[in-house]
Amino acid sequence: MKTIQIGASQLKASAVALGIMRMVRLDTDAAANVLETVHDRGVNFIDSADIYGNGDSERI
């Protein structure tokens, strides 16, 4: 997975992000499977916000 350095820091983010706005539609097992799958492929950039699913997407 290609990564991009974040500013002048030593942090790097994957060039591909996972948006979890609709994660609330999944049960916790399916959501965990999605997160494990993208993590195994090198994705470490997750687009989340407390307004997604009224905060439930982040809780899942």
Side-chain angles (χ1 to χ4, degrees):
M1 173 65 58
K2 180 180 177 183
T3 60
I4 300 169
Q5 186 169 341
I6 300 174
S9 75
Q10 297 300 313
L11 299 174
K12 292 187 178 185
S14 55
V16 174
L18 170 67
I20 65 166
M21 182 174 183
R22 292 189 168 84
M23 188 73 76
V24 71
R25 295 179 180 182
L26 304 177
D27 63 33
T28 54
D29 289 337
N33 187 41
V34 169
L35 291 170
E36 289 171 12
T37 300
V38 299
H39 180 265
D40 290 348
R41 285 165 174 74
V43 175
N44 68 351
F45 177 13
I46 298 174
D47 172 27
S48 179
D50 60 359
I51 62 168
Y52 293 169
N54 215 21
D56 289 339
S57 286
E58 287 186 331
R59 280 187 278 282
I60 289 173

